[in-house]
Structures are given as C-alpha cells and as structure tokens.
Amino acid sequence: MFPETRLRRLRQNAEIRKMLDLPLPGPEKFIWPAFVLDGAAKREPIEAMPGQSRLSVDQLLIDLEPVVDSGVSGVLLFGLVEDSKKDFHGSEAYNDQGTIQRAIRKVKEKFPKLVVTADVCVCAYTSHGHCGPLTEAGEVDNDAANEVLAKIALSYAAAGADMVAPSSMMDGQVQAIRSALDAAAFDQTLLMSYSTKFASAMYGPFREAEKSTPSQGDRKGYQASYGDLRTALRESEFDEAEGADILMVKPALFYLDVLSKLRETTDLPIAAYNVSGEYSMLHASAERGWGNLKDMVQESTAAMVRGGADILISYWANQYDVLFKN
Ligand code: PBG
Ligand code: ZN
C-alpha cells in the first residue's frame, strides 16, 4: 500500500508502459467490410460513413490493394442490386452470375491469400427489405428463409468464398447452411455465424450504405433483444451446437459485457463486429473537434480485444496503417 507501493512507478515513461501494455492488434486480426455494386467504374462515397464507398468490382480490386499490402487478413462482402432485381424471396442473392459471386471470383483471382467472406442475408435483395421471405401475416418465414440462405451460401462457396457469414438471425440457419455445404462437398468452407446479433439502433449508416431499411416494421422479431441477455447468449450456444466455426457479437462496443461473457463460455473463435453506427459516431465526434480520431479508434479497438475478440470486423481496417501505427 501507499506510500511503499506507488503504482505510478509502473507507468512513469513510454518505454515502461509499452513493455506492460497489451499490444494493439496487428492487421491480421482485421476483416474489412466492403459494399459491392453491379457494373463497372462505379464509386459512390457513403455520406454517413466517411472513408467508405460503394464500389463496383473493378474499383474494389483497386481499393483492396493497399488493404492487402497493410496485412489485413480478410474482406467481408455485402452486395447491392438495383430495385428491379429485388423480389419477394431475394433470389438475386443466389444468382451464380450475381454481383457478389463475381466479386468473390475476381477478388480471389487477384488476392488468392486474402480470406474472402460473404455476408449471407437477403435484406438487400428483397422487395420488402426484410431478412427473409414473409408469411401472410407479414412476419419473416423462418424455415423458408433458411432454404434461401442455404442456396446463397452454396453459390458463394461455389464462387470460391473461404467463409460464409449468415446474418439474418433465423433459427436453424447455421444447421441449414452447414448441411447444404457439406452435401455439396464444401466441407472446407468456413461458417462464421452472426450468432449474437442484436436489434440495434447502431446499424443506421450501414442501412444507408446498403439501402436495406425494411419498408415496413423492424427486425426485432428476429434479431436479439438487448434486454434479454440470456436468450442472446443462447443464440450463440445454439449456433455452436449447429456447427458454426466462428461466433460473433454484434454490435461490439455496446455489448462488451456480452463479448466477455461469451468468451468465458465457448472455446470457439469470436468475431467482434464494430458496426457502422460505432464507426460513424467516432467520425462525427472527431469532425466536431470533440476527440482525436486515432486515439478514439485505438482505445475502442483495444476494448474489443480485451473483451475477448479474436477477429475484428471493422471499417477502420482499410485505414490500418494510418490509425494503428504509432
Ligand atoms: C444485414 C446486416 C446488417 C448489418 C450487417 N448485416 C444490418 C441489419 O441487420 O439491419 C449491420 C452492419 C453495420 O451496421 O455495420 N443482415
Ligand atoms: Zn439481413
């Protein structure tokens, strides 16, 4: 105790602090989420997410070059299609010649070592903007959604994706996808489940980017409720039992307690998804001069690592060298 013990001795200079501190995560821990457009030579900056754009595949390849050079491990692809291609089931999502299928082939061709993950959901492909086809009552039809999700995952695996990532929060989605993949001999395709994904108010900028806001209602009937922690944790438990390779907590920063609880109850790798609203929040604050962007990014990222994340899905990943190198 004081005065014999003085804790400030342990942080008296930068060299000592550096020796004791948990290091910042290296670039290999990061996956960069990217938004992919049909066509060519298209680049649409996303107003709500400075530093992020919707890109046609040719432009994505250009932007991936420095990301790959910086050592970032992977990319998570989200597709956008024109309204004319949207339908009740979101069937464009499993078109073998679709945007994401093309993107996967091109990205793997140019960057064979980059871990390519494709998001498996239909909200950007359905006319109504929900994460699966609807019942007559207007609810998402769980089991019908699973059939669609399995077809999508299969077509991504066939295009060469290393990993598929179902994000629609349907019961049994992991089982449906895993068994479809295995039946088609894609037993090496990784499955990262958005296992504990909350109905969050922090997805706003993403929905602007993806133009995927539901035309009616919300996603509370399928995404987890932040008021019910136990059920939210069971979501991950079930996905593990159904054969997920990697679990996820999303959003990450608002749910660090969930992340650290899950860390104690599973030995699966866990991904933390640092979502769009968390990204834009720091940008907005920095723009107003209320905080230093790099410091806020490093501090919040360290929190996710401490919380138990093995993998960081983060929009900061395409700026790794600027934000994480001191
Ligand atoms: C779609 C999906 C969403 C996100 C990832 N996949 C939005 C949603 O569920 O409404 C959010 C990502 C982010 O906000 O960064 N199923
Ligand atoms: Zn969805």
Side-chain angles (χ1 to χ4, degrees):
M1 268 301 158
F2 180 83
E4 296 77 19
T5 304
R6 290 177 178 269
L7 297 180
R8 286 184 58 189
R9 279 203 291 267
L10 288 163
R11 48 180 193 267
Q12 59 186 279
N13 63 45
E15 291 66 38
I16 292 174
R17 290 194 296 273
K18 220 166 152 178
M19 182 173 72
L20 294 174
D21 284 354
L22 191 69
L24 282 172
E28 67 280 359
K29 292 291 177 190
F30 284 79
I31 291 179
W32 178 48
F35 303 100
V36 192
L37 291 170
D38 260 333
K42 288 193 206 153
R43 175 175 292 270
E44 302 176 0
I46 300 158
E47 205 184 307
M49 301 178 74
Q52 308 297 324
S53 302
R54 303 181 198 98
L55 302 168
S56 53
V57 178
D58 55 318
Q59 300 298 305
L60 173 67
L61 295 178
I62 294 171
D63 283 28
L64 271 174
E65 191 121 24
V67 175
V68 171
D69 283 346
S70 75
V72 164
S73 285
V75 67
L76 170 59
L77 301 175
F78 292 97
L80 282 111
V81 294
E82 279 155 32
D83 282 351
S84 62
K85 289 190 176 164
K86 296 186 180 185
D87 64 17
F88 186 76
H89 288 85
S91 58
E92 177 62 18
Y94 55 82
N95 175 354
D96 286 336
Q97 305 305 319
T99 310
I100 291 298
Q101 288 80 358
R102 265 187 57 235
I104 293 167
R105 285 188 214 103
K106 294 273 182 198
V107 171
K108 283 308 285 185
E109 189 181 295
K110 182 157 184 208
F111 307 104
K113 289 191 176 163
L114 186 69
V115 181
V116 173
T117 305
D119 181 88
V120 179
C121 197
V122 291
C123 46
Y125 301 88
T126 49
S127 40
H128 43 77
H130 276 286
C131 301
L134 305 176
T135 63
E136 271 174 32
E139 300 296 328
V140 174
D141 183 338
N142 191 88
D143 299 13
N146 282 340
E147 286 177 31
V148 179
L149 297 174
K151 284 186 195 166
I152 299 169
L154 213 52
S155 83
Y156 291 165
D162 299 291
M163 181 147 80
V164 293
S167 66
S168 65
M169 289 298 286
M170 294 300 115
D171 286 323
Q173 64 180 12
V174 170
Q175 189 181 74
I177 291 171
R178 185 74 267 165
S179 60
L181 290 174
D182 290 352
F186 291 115
D187 54 278
Q188 289 302 300
T189 305
L190 284 157
L191 198 164
M192 172 169 70
S193 177
Y194 287 66
S195 55
T196 294
K197 172 178 176 180
F198 291 95
S200 172
M202 301 308 284
Y203 304 152
F206 175 96
R207 290 181 191 171
E208 186 202 304
E210 273 280 283
K211 303 175 184 169
S212 62
T213 307
S215 53
Q216 279 193 356
D218 54 39
R219 306 207 207 282
K220 291 183 179 164
Y222 39 106
Q223 298 179 344
S225 169
Y226 62 77
D228 183 0
L229 176 63
R230 286 189 298 261
T231 306
L233 287 170
R234 286 175 78 202
E235 289 285 352
S236 279
E237 234 175 78
F238 278 36
D239 284 6
E240 177 168 356
E242 288 176 29
D245 297 298
I246 300 173
L247 301 177
M248 189 192 297
V249 175
K250 176 186 171 194
L253 290 177
F254 278 30
Y255 297 94
L256 291 172
D257 59 330
V258 179
L259 180 59
S260 68
K261 280 214 172 68
L262 184 60
R263 180 66 295 161
E264 282 168 16
T265 54
T266 182
D267 288 320
L268 263 59
I270 304 175
Y273 198 139
N274 190 190
V275 302
S276 61
E278 296 171 333
Y279 175 86
S280 304
M281 185 167 71
L282 297 196
H283 259 299
S285 170
E287 257 169 40
R288 286 166 173 72
W290 294 342
N292 176 279
L293 186 66
K294 184 170 176 175
D295 292 340
M296 292 189 289
V297 170
Q298 291 191 0
E299 186 176 341
S300 57
T301 303
M304 293 181 271
V305 175
R306 259 190 344 264
D310 300 290
I311 298 170
L312 301 160
I313 302 174
S314 168
Y315 301 98
W316 305 119
N318 70 338
Q319 306 145 62
Y320 185 88
D321 286 346
V322 177
L323 294 170
F324 291 97
K325 285 198 177 151
N326 281 312

